[in-house]
Amino acid sequence: IKIEKELSSLYKRMFEPLHVPPELFQRLTGQFCNIQTLKTGQAYAAEDKTSVDDRLSILLKGKMKVSYRGHFLHNIYPCAFIDSPEFRSTQMNRGEKFQVTIIADDNCKFLCWSRERLTFFLESEPFLYEIFKYLIGKDITNKLYSLNDPTLNDKASKKIDRQPSLCSQLSVMQMRNSMASTSDSEDGLQMFLRGTSSASSLR
């Protein structure tokens, strides 16, 4: 099975090491998703405006910059999820808005899934569902390291291969998704803990 050239590096770096068969990867990327582009300076998401319910994306090419109220937080590099914290933290809550702004720092290309259809597909594929849980958790942890060290580049982030803990996931979600106010952070954290108390640990 031949994987599209644009997606081959994504498969080899993220999915092949976790023993995802090429045919399953093709099914994952061959439906209810498409490849989109942004030019330098264009926004993927604007804080308090863009809904988190519509999509989940992985950056294929270029670099994106994440900021909060004009303050730089971290960069996003190829083969990383663009909106993993939003995807994880709002699985139980619909209608939320991004609380960060994500801008293309270069000409960017990304793989974009319909969030609703992706969720439905993963529910029918238990193995791939577990893979996504791991990849998203790991991605969130990498973003947490980037928040702690804004100079962390793509080469350094590749070396981070730790099993993400619930604590580290919550930390980055609080920093990226519940920064509006202390009360909002506490409410969001409590709701997240209640919603994931039985199934939050990543394998």
Side-chain angles (χ1 to χ4, degrees):
I1 293 180
K2 191 174 181 180
I3 294 173
E4 288 183 52
K5 185 178 179 181
E6 288 183 306
L7 300 177
S8 60
S9 61
L10 174 67
Y11 175 70
K12 289 178 181 177
R13 181 167 163 184
M14 293 181 68
F15 292 89
E16 188 176 40
L18 298 175
H19 308 292
V20 175
E23 59 270 20
L24 186 56
F25 180 77
Q26 271 198 338
R27 289 182 59 204
L28 174 68
T29 57
Q31 53 187 333
F32 52 84
C33 74
N34 53 66
I35 294 175
Q36 299 182 15
T37 59
L38 285 177
K39 293 183 178 179
T40 304
Q42 289 186 313
Y44 176 86
E47 56 193 90
D48 300 323
K49 294 180 180 179
T50 306
S51 171
V52 304
D53 293 340
D54 298 333
R55 57 187 173 172
L56 176 70
S57 303
I58 295 179
L59 187 61
L60 299 175
K61 181 181 178 182
K63 184 177 75 171
M64 291 186 173
K65 180 171 63 177
V66 181
S67 62
Y68 171 69
R69 296 185 179 178
H71 298 285
F72 171 78
L73 294 180
H74 62 84
N75 290 316
I76 300 173
Y77 296 96
C79 292
F81 286 93
I82 298 172
D83 39 12
S84 55
E86 289 75 19
F87 181 80
R88 173 57 62 84
S89 64
T90 59
Q91 282 179 315
M92 301 294 172
N93 307 304
R94 309 297 286 179
E96 299 290 328
K97 304 291 184 183
F98 276 85
Q99 298 205 4
V100 295
T101 294
I102 305 175
I103 300 289
D105 208 29
D106 295 318
N107 290 334
C108 293
K109 184 177 292 186
F110 57 94
L111 182 67
C112 181
W113 286 278
S114 160
R115 177 169 171 163
E116 183 176 358
R117 296 183 68 185
L118 173 63
T119 301
F120 183 78
F121 175 72
L122 292 178
E123 287 175 353
S124 67
E125 293 287 346
F127 170 69
L128 202 56
Y129 174 76
E130 294 298 327
I131 293 295
F132 254 75
K133 276 173 50 178
Y134 170 77
L135 288 174
I136 288 174
K138 180 181 174 183
D139 187 81
I140 290 171
T141 302
N142 288 348
K143 287 178 171 55
L144 177 62
Y145 277 95
S146 297
L147 284 168
N148 291 334
D149 182 6
T151 64
L152 187 69
N153 58 25
D154 186 42
K155 186 176 180 180
S157 67
K158 288 179 186 178
K159 296 180 180 179
I160 299 174
D161 191 19
R162 302 187 180 185
Q163 184 84 345
S165 66
L166 175 61
C167 180
S168 65
Q169 292 176 56
L170 290 175
S171 297
V172 74
M173 282 184 281
Q174 284 179 280
M175 295 177 81
R176 256 189 66 166
N177 297 311
S178 301
M179 301 172 77
S181 69
T182 302
S183 60
D184 286 347
S185 296
E186 291 173 352
D187 291 346
L189 178 59
Q190 291 303 318
M191 291 182 73
F192 179 81
L193 284 172
R194 287 198 298 272
T196 59
S197 59
S198 61
S200 59
S201 61
L202 303 180
R203 297 182 184 179

